[in-house]
Amino acid sequence: MTRLIIRILAALSVIAGLNYVVWRWTASLNWDAWWIAIPLVLAETYSFIDVALFSLTVWRMSEREDPPDAPAGLSVDVFITTYNEEPELVLTTARAALAIHYPHRTWVLDDGARPEMREAVERLGAGYLSRGDEWVGKPRHAKAGNLNNALHETTGEFILILDADQVPYPEILDRTLGYFNDRKVAFVQTPQYFGNVPDSDPLGSQAPLFYGPIQQGKDGWNAAFFCGSNAVLRREALMQLGLTNYVADTERRVGRALAVGQRVVRRARRRPEAGDPKVASLLSRVEAAISEGSRRLAAGDSIGDATYRVQAHVDAAVRTLVAEDLAGVSIDVAALREELGMDSPFDEATEELDEAVERLAARDLSPLGALESVRAVLDALSVERVHEAQPIMPLSTISVTEDMSTSMRLHASGWRSLYHHEILAVGLAPEDLPSMLTQRTRWAQGTVQVMLRESPLLMRGLSWGQRLMYFNTMWSYLSGFAAVVYFAGPLAYLLAGVLPVNAISVDFFARFFPFMLVNQLMFWVAAQGAKTWRGQQYNLALFPTWIKACTTAAANVWFGRPLGFAVTPKARQEGGRPLRLLWPQAIVAALLVMACVVGVVRWVLGLNQGLGTLVNIAWTIFDFALLSVLIGAAKYRGYDPAGESAFQTTKEKK
């Protein structure tokens, strides 16, 4: 019955929203104030699309019964990831992991490589893993690299991944492994719940909307996300994904190298030295060999078969030209190595090598230098992938949020996922505003990275429902730009008398209020009593965080600017001035207060309409209600459970 009600409300939300947005575009725009009218209607259109995507999400909310019994005899590794967390925090999680009922092996993956951590972990009887010498000087890929390293050091059929602060319940594997009786299930995600959060949840950590109707809805579309912790994954699925991506990446890079080689040789043929019949013949043979290699690769032949003939012809041509004339060889080779920016082309990281290949394609080389360059590039792009610490990377390394990218790739490969809506581990949420902002920024940056590098709308293998479920989450982080417009709307009218719509009329109220009311009712019913207001507040109040995340992620993807990986502090950070982090919101709040005062004065003086003034003051009051969450956030100094253990009382709180 609940699902039917949700579907009715979802349909009504979309219909009412479409009615409002179409009217706004076709009949209400104040073109005399286009500079605010157009941004506002674009922001409203963005919000309507957001509502439509949420409506689609909850349309298929899963309603799972008790999970199947866990089959006996499965081998399971429990991974606890850590970098710089306090040893006692990690050991608390390790002790709980060792107490899990289902037979398993517990491993602490210490990316900080701390000797004292190794000693303490081994005293508990758990396994300890850190990276070896093969990672020195190679891209580390943050948490994804830590997990990928551990996958190559262990053998369990299934892996339970826990963050350092996520203390598991003993029954976590008994409640999740039964789902893997379906051979197509790649992972089972459970909620992330935090035991150090008061009922007021001042930092909005619990996310009951996401770990509730959103994940349940995505589950109905076979698009539940892997969220980095509290999830059980099938090793076979991860390793298959790693192999598939390895082959696809190698084919892409070799194909690109062949295309660049073709361009380099063609440029060399235009040089005066190529007028020599023997040189021209050699270049023609190499060009034909490269074309043949490209055709073989496109036809699905192995990379070795596709490149062997090219390499053989290039090697033979280089030897012939060297035998004819050694002049310029050392100069060309030295220039090539300088162009690639390395002592040896075999030691370069992926992005830097790709840039070097592009620069190489634009060089004007002698015939011998061209052939030597083509040979060096083909060698540098060998199937060994020596620019990485290990050739197979099962978890995605294209983003600081490896979890979403990995789950999207698994779905595109035909694997299934499940969301089990039961709290089976309890973690620690940020206990101060700076830590929370660090966490939210990383989440948003990683999500935008994935959107720009591997858009779900273009990824092959995903169903249309899966595409929209992933896109919905990515789309939501663009809300910061819409928020700026929503603040600017009432400011424009109250301060200057500029109305973005033709008039505040019956047509406006008759379309706007039904849309808002049915939309909020849908959220309330879908949440099934969960407190979602805090999430709605932060969606608008953190607009500078979302804007910063979008711009920095775009700069990273498009221009190669470093992003880094910031670990969320698990304990309250002493000192600092959290209020200085909120200066954009403070400026907006001050402007809104000033606008209300000025608006009333203009109304008294007859410069503003009475109805327009009241509507826009009500708008500012709503904005204040959303921004007010930051007052409690700035004053928050951590959870005080009155002497009780947060972990011990979690089930009682629920």
Side-chain angles (χ1 to χ4, degrees):
M1 185 63 182
T2 302
R3 175 180 284 188
L4 176 61
I5 295 174
I6 290 174
R7 288 186 170 183
I8 291 173
L9 292 173
L12 290 175
S13 293
V14 173
I15 293 170
L18 187 63
N19 179 49
Y20 174 71
V21 169
V22 170
W23 174 78
R24 286 283 288 113
W25 277 102
T26 58
S28 72
L29 291 180
N30 180 6
W31 290 104
D32 292 335
W34 62 267
W35 51 272
I36 185 62
I38 295 299
L40 182 58
V41 75
L42 287 173
E44 290 177 305
T45 304
Y46 166 85
S47 297
F48 164 67
I49 294 173
D50 200 41
V51 169
L53 290 171
F54 180 80
S55 301
L56 185 67
T57 299
V58 299
W59 189 267
R60 284 191 180 181
M61 280 181 61
S62 61
E63 299 175 354
R64 298 193 182 280
E65 303 295 333
D66 280 345
D69 292 336
L74 301 178
S75 60
V76 182
D77 289 319
V78 177
F79 288 171
I80 302 169
T81 60
T82 178
Y83 174 62
N84 61 359
E85 292 85 355
E86 288 296 323
E88 187 52 41
L89 182 146
V90 180
L91 295 177
T92 298
T93 303
R95 292 187 192 99
L98 288 167
I100 291 174
H101 292 156
Y102 195 92
H104 65 284
R105 181 76 189 274
T106 297
W107 300 89
V108 172
L109 316 184
D110 182 18
D111 227 10
R114 294 164 286 182
E116 67 277 12
M117 179 67 77
R118 173 189 287 273
E119 182 180 348
V121 167
E122 291 177 347
R123 276 202 307 268
L124 282 181
Y128 176 91
L129 290 172
S130 61
R131 309 207 205 194
D133 293 340
E134 68 274 12
W135 288 89
V136 176
K138 303 292 177 62
R140 293 184 65 83
H141 303 303
K143 181 180 176 182
N146 192 12
L147 289 167
N148 284 332
N149 176 71
L151 284 169
H152 284 268
E153 299 292 331
T154 56
T155 59
E157 299 170 80
F158 298 93
I159 300 100
L160 167 62
I161 296 178
L162 299 168
D163 283 344
D165 63 295
Q166 291 287 337
V167 177
Y169 291 164
E171 64 269 25
I172 186 169
L173 292 176
D174 294 309
R175 301 290 290 173
T176 52
L177 285 175
Y179 289 116
F180 291 97
N181 291 332
D182 182 345
R183 292 282 304 165
K184 294 302 294 179
V185 172
F187 65 90
V188 176
Q189 178 67 53
T190 68
Q192 292 189 25
Y193 184 82
F194 304 101
N196 62 332
V197 176
D199 289 338
S200 59
D201 194 9
L203 299 182
S205 299
Q206 293 295 18
L209 189 63
F210 181 79
Y211 289 110
I214 291 179
Q215 275 283 55
Q216 289 174 298
K218 293 180 187 299
D219 189 24
W221 293 97
N222 185 28
F225 289 3
F226 167 42
C227 300
S229 183
N230 305 5
V232 183
L233 297 94
R234 188 189 296 270
R235 179 184 294 271
E236 176 190 352
L238 288 174
M239 299 310 293
Q240 183 187 99
L241 181 65
L243 288 169
T244 301
N245 288 333
Y246 163 73
V247 172
D249 181 63
T250 304
E251 287 182 345
R252 178 189 66 81
R253 291 167 57 76
V254 170
R256 185 180 179 192
L258 291 173
V260 168
Q262 189 85 291
R263 287 156 56 190
V264 169
V265 172
R266 285 175 179 171
R267 288 175 65 89
R269 293 185 67 179
R270 293 197 291 267
R271 289 180 60 91
E273 305 95 297
D276 184 293
K278 189 169 185 177
V279 173
S281 175
L282 287 172
L283 291 175
S284 295
R285 285 168 51 196
V286 170
E287 188 176 2
I290 293 175
S291 297
E292 176 64 19
S294 298
R295 284 194 296 270
R296 286 176 176 269
L297 195 65
D301 286 5
S302 70
I303 296 173
D305 290 342
T307 58
Y308 173 76
R309 285 173 56 83
V310 180
Q311 290 172 322
H313 278 83
V314 172
D315 287 343
V318 168
R319 285 195 297 270
T320 301
L321 287 181
V322 168
E324 292 291 326
D325 184 8
L326 288 174
V329 174
S330 59
I331 296 175
D332 284 329
V333 173
L336 169 66
R337 301 209 183 283
E338 182 180 354
E339 190 73 25
L340 293 175
M342 55 190 175
D343 292 334
S344 169
F346 305 100
D347 297 328
E348 189 59 31
T350 304
E351 292 185 5
E352 294 172 341
L353 182 57
D354 286 346
E355 293 174 2
V357 168
E358 282 302 311
R359 292 195 301 271
L360 173 64
R363 287 184 59 193
D364 189 18
L365 297 166
S366 68
L368 180 56
L371 294 177
E372 184 66 24
S373 298
V374 171
R375 183 168 67 175
V377 170
L378 288 174
D379 288 343
L381 299 178
S382 69
V383 296
E384 296 176 8
R385 295 191 73 182
V386 291
H387 58 281
E388 294 280 10
Q390 57 190 46
I392 306 300
M393 294 283 187
L395 276 85
S396 173
T397 60
I398 68 166
S399 166
V400 294
T401 53
E402 76 294 331
D403 41 20
M404 172 186 283
S405 177
T406 298
S407 62
M408 189 166 69
R409 289 179 173 185
L410 285 168
H411 284 130
S413 298
W415 290 94
R416 295 187 59 222
S417 68
L418 290 118
Y419 174 67
H420 180 68
H421 190 52
E422 178 185 6
I423 295 172
L424 294 170
V426 183
L428 295 176
E431 293 205 342
D432 56 75
L433 180 64
S435 299
M436 182 269 277
L437 293 177
T438 297
Q439 181 189 68
R440 305 296 169 84
T441 300
R442 188 182 76 246
W443 290 350
Q445 285 174 328
T447 302
V448 175
Q449 278 182 308
V450 176
M451 180 174 68
L452 297 178
R453 284 187 168 136
E454 289 186 345
S455 170
L457 299 179
L458 302 176
M459 179 173 280
R460 294 181 179 179
L462 294 176
S463 68
W464 69 269
Q466 290 171 328
R467 294 175 194 272
L468 292 177
M469 292 303 101
Y470 280 102
F471 180 72
N472 184 13
T473 298
M474 299 169 181
W475 176 261
S476 67
Y477 284 114
L478 302 177
S479 63
F481 301 101
V484 172
V485 179
Y486 287 140
F487 291 131
L491 293 177
Y493 183 77
L494 295 173
L495 294 176
V498 176
L499 199 62
V501 297
N502 282 332
I504 302 295
S505 62
V506 174
D507 284 340
F508 172 79
F509 291 112
R511 288 170 171 81
F512 178 75
F513 281 111
F515 173 46
M516 288 296 294
L517 290 174
V518 74
N519 178 31
Q520 289 300 309
L521 185 59
M522 175 184 62
F523 270 86
W524 181 75
V525 174
Q528 301 180 46
K531 300 176 181 177
T532 62
W533 172 243
R534 188 67 80 221
Q536 294 184 57
Q537 286 181 296
Y538 273 113
N539 187 51
L540 180 132
L542 293 185
F543 70 94
T545 299
W546 310 143
I547 292 173
K548 175 185 175 182
C550 290
T551 54
T552 54
N556 171 261
V557 173
W558 293 336
F559 307 112
R561 295 180 182 174
L563 203 57
F565 184 92
V567 177
T568 304
K570 302 302 189 294
R572 185 167 66 87
Q573 304 302 290
E574 300 296 337
R577 299 177 180 177
L579 288 176
R580 67 183 174 83
L581 301 173
L582 303 177
W583 65 265
Q585 293 94 327
I587 291 175
V588 168
L591 287 173
L592 290 174
V593 170
M594 181 178 67
C596 287
V597 175
V598 173
V600 171
V601 172
R602 289 177 59 87
W603 178 16
V604 172
L605 295 176
L607 300 176
N608 281 359
Q609 300 175 5
L611 182 59
T613 300
L614 291 175
V615 168
N616 281 277
I617 287 178
W619 189 349
T620 62
I621 292 173
F622 181 71
D623 286 341
F624 273 122
L626 296 175
L627 288 172
S628 66
V629 68
L630 297 174
I631 299 174
K635 296 164 59 178
Y636 184 57
R637 292 297 180 267
Y639 179 53
D640 180 12
E644 294 180 315
S645 167
F647 296 122
Q648 291 174 351
T649 60
T650 297
K651 286 190 174 181
E652 297 176 11
K653 289 170 64 178
K654 292 300 288 179

